[in-house]
Amino acid sequence: MLIFKLAWRNIWRNRRRTIITTLSIVVAVFLSAITRSTQEGQYDNMLENTVGIFSGYIQIHQNGYQDNPTLDNSFAMSDTLRNIVISQPAVSSVVPRIDSYALAATSEQSRPVMIMGIDIDAEKQLSNPVKNLETGNYFDSNNEQAAIVGKDLLKRLNARIGDSLVVIGQGYHGMNATGLYHIKGTVSFPNPEMNKSLVYLPLETAQYLFSADNRLTSLALNISSPDELEPTVEALKQDLSGEHYEVLGWPELMPELKQAIQVDRGSGIIIILILYMIVGFGVLGTVLMMIAERYYEFGVMLSVGTPRKTIAKILSLEVIILSLMGTFLGILLSIPVAWYFNVNPIDLSGAMASAAEQYNMSPMLQFSVSPEIFTNQAITVFIITLIFSIYPIIKASRLNPVKAMKS
């Protein structure tokens, strides 16, 4: 207790030095936490715009569909499969789909499009066309002869709500797929490619178009937490091992997205490491200065019999207290800033917006408020501060008392 009192009083003997040292740690924690928050927020944005509203975190296909995504690799939905899927506690929603590509045409224009047959109720749990409906109305039933198209596709087709849309393609086992539907509405997603090429059809209408009654190309699953991804995939693979299905998590469904995140995360870590080094040497210089101006004091303490270990303990405790104050204040400052820009994302424009759209991200900068970001940065900076303080403390504890008092 006596050592703690001495360390505490020593800290406040020179308030300017204490404030400078603490501020250097505060700035380090703040900058590293905000940098990581920005990066992780972008990754969350990227995943939300692709996994969260398009593919789902997990998909179940017929074996071979991932390598050859055609209607011939579709599968029939069964009660056994549904019961196995919904028995997984982490699965929050099951979304059946039948997807294929076709040519969509109006009286003036034609475009290649992606046809997505959706269960009109289940799809609200994933891409949620109702929420993203820009104009018109949503489907009334799963066999309605209507289509909802991306907002930019409507412009490309030079069509309006209520116009007829002709779809021509190839169905199951080479059957002709031709249909005529009235355009009932448009949807708008953050992903620009979906707005340019997506055509929603009700599930039974799409199955009839492709001559694939009761068949699906994928069963998209949402889970209660991203942390449950790997356990759920493994459990489904074991439960479906005797069936002819493939179970894929989003990293396998979109390896390019996973790779892009890993590359960007690696570059961000390099920047933060440079920041750590700058802060570490800053702390080293401050502690060296703090000890140098107290050489006479240490010489007197050694002369009157104070053990060298006691001096080292007092200095160590001073550094620990300064580090704790700096990291705590750093977290206290960074959390409100990250929270504000999480609730009020920064709208990007110009080249930055175009770059974001190329990665299927909405053109906005949203910070992440994941608790691990702040605690990890605070712990890391705290440890770095302690490491860079070891040398000055050892040097102080080995002082020659006579030379120290003459200095």
Side-chain angles (χ1 to χ4, degrees), residues 102-120:
L103 183 69
T106 59
S107 58
E108 299 184 15
Q109 296 286 339
S110 62
R111 294 285 174 182
V113 297
M114 183 178 77
I115 304 292
M116 183 179 289
I118 58 171
D119 183 300
I120 64 170

Side-chain angles (χ1 to χ4, degrees), residues 198-216:
L198 180 65
V199 174
Y200 277 131
L201 291 180
L203 183 61
E204 293 178 13
T205 302
Q207 289 172 332
Y208 182 79
L209 168 69
F210 295 125
S211 304
D213 291 343
N214 196 38
R215 299 192 72 83
L216 304 173

Side-chain angles (χ1 to χ4, degrees), residues 241-259:
S241 59
E243 308 291 341
H244 303 294
Y245 302 109
E246 57 187 17
V247 183
L248 304 173
W250 74 260
E252 296 165 287
L253 291 167
M254 290 174 286
E256 69 284 353
L257 177 61
K258 179 185 176 184
Q259 190 175 24

Side-chain angles (χ1 to χ4, degrees), residues 54 69 71 99-103 112-115 167-170 197 210:
F54 185 67
L71 288 169
D99 303 335
S100 189
Y101 293 88
L103 183 69
V113 297
M114 183 178 77
I115 304 292
V167 175
I168 303 172
Q170 189 175 52
S197 61
F210 295 125

Side-chain angles (χ1 to χ4, degrees), residues 6 42 48-49 56 63 79 81 84 92 104 126 154 185 238 260 262-263 298 305 312 315 361 369:
L6 287 173
Q42 288 298 85
E48 183 64 25
N49 289 335
N63 267 336
D79 292 338
L81 175 59
I84 290 174
S92 57
L126 191 54
L154 188 76
Q238 290 184 359
Q262 286 176 333
V263 170
F298 294 143
L315 286 173
M361 296 162 52
V369 290

Side-chain angles (χ1 to χ4, degrees), residues 77-343:
M77 186 62 185
S78 66
D79 292 338
T80 304
L81 175 59
R82 180 177 290 278
N83 290 336
I84 290 174
V85 171
I86 63 176
S87 67
Q88 295 298 322
V91 173
S92 57
S93 60
V94 182
V95 183
R97 285 173 174 172
I98 183 167
D99 303 335
S100 189
Y101 293 88
L103 183 69
T106 59
S107 58
E108 299 184 15
Q109 296 286 339
S110 62
R111 294 285 174 182
V113 297
M114 183 178 77
I115 304 292
M116 183 179 289
I118 58 171
D119 183 300
I120 64 170
D121 293 323
E123 192 65 30
K124 295 175 184 175
Q125 305 299 319
L126 191 54
S127 65
N128 198 354
V130 177
K131 179 184 175 183
N132 295 293
L133 199 65
E134 188 178 72
T135 57
N137 298 300
Y138 190 54
F139 300 121
D140 296 322
S141 68
N142 274 324
N143 58 6
E144 185 177 2
Q145 298 299 303
I148 294 176
V149 303
K151 63 173 185 177
D152 294 332
L153 178 61
L154 188 76
K155 295 176 184 175
R156 287 183 166 201
L157 292 171
N158 198 17
R160 294 179 297 178
I161 303 297
D163 286 355
S164 296
L165 182 74
V166 177
V167 175
I168 303 172
Q170 189 175 52
Y172 183 55
H173 282 177
M175 298 290 287
N176 288 327
T178 307
L180 178 65
Y181 312 98
H182 75 273
I183 301 174
K184 194 170 184 180
T186 60
V187 285
S188 175
F189 288 105
N191 185 333
E193 290 303 317
M194 293 179 68
N195 296 330
K196 294 175 184 174
S197 61
L198 180 65
V199 174
Y200 277 131
L201 291 180
L203 183 61
E204 293 178 13
T205 302
Q207 289 172 332
Y208 182 79
L209 168 69
F210 295 125
S211 304
D213 291 343
N214 196 38
R215 299 192 72 83
L216 304 173
T217 52
S218 64
L219 205 57
L221 313 179
N222 264 343
I223 52 179
S224 54
S225 167
D227 296 335
E228 299 291 336
L229 177 66
E230 290 299 328
T232 306
V233 168
E234 291 304 317
L236 284 170
K237 284 181 177 177
Q238 290 184 359
D239 292 343
L240 296 173
S241 59
E243 308 291 341
H244 303 294
Y245 302 109
E246 57 187 17
V247 183
L248 304 173
W250 74 260
E252 296 165 287
L253 291 167
M254 290 174 286
E256 69 284 353
L257 177 61
K258 179 185 176 184
Q259 190 175 24
I261 290 176
Q262 286 176 333
V263 170
D264 193 69
R265 184 173 280 152
S267 63
I269 288 174
I270 291 173
I271 293 173
I272 289 181
L273 285 176
I274 294 171
L275 177 64
Y276 288 159
M277 294 298 294
I278 294 171
V279 171
F281 282 106
V283 171
L284 175 65
T286 307
V287 177
L288 280 172
M289 181 183 66
M290 180 178 72
I291 292 174
E293 69 180 16
R294 293 164 63 189
Y295 275 174
Y296 183 81
E297 172 191 335
F298 294 143
V300 172
M301 292 175 70
L302 290 170
S303 300
V304 298
T306 304
R308 294 179 183 273
K309 288 184 179 177
T310 303
I311 293 176
K313 287 179 182 176
I314 293 172
L315 286 173
S316 301
L317 204 54
E318 289 178 25
V319 173
I320 290 172
I321 293 172
L322 287 173
S323 301
L324 286 174
M325 289 195 304
T327 52
F328 177 74
L329 289 174
I331 292 178
L332 211 60
L333 285 175
S334 57
I335 288 178
V337 174
W339 176 83
Y340 177 81
F341 287 111
N342 178 269
V343 178

Side-chain angles (χ1 to χ4, degrees), residues 360-374:
N360 293 329
M361 296 162 52
S362 56
M364 62 175 60
L365 190 60
Q366 185 174 29
F367 287 29
S368 172
V369 290
S370 175
E372 292 82 10
I373 293 173
F374 305 99

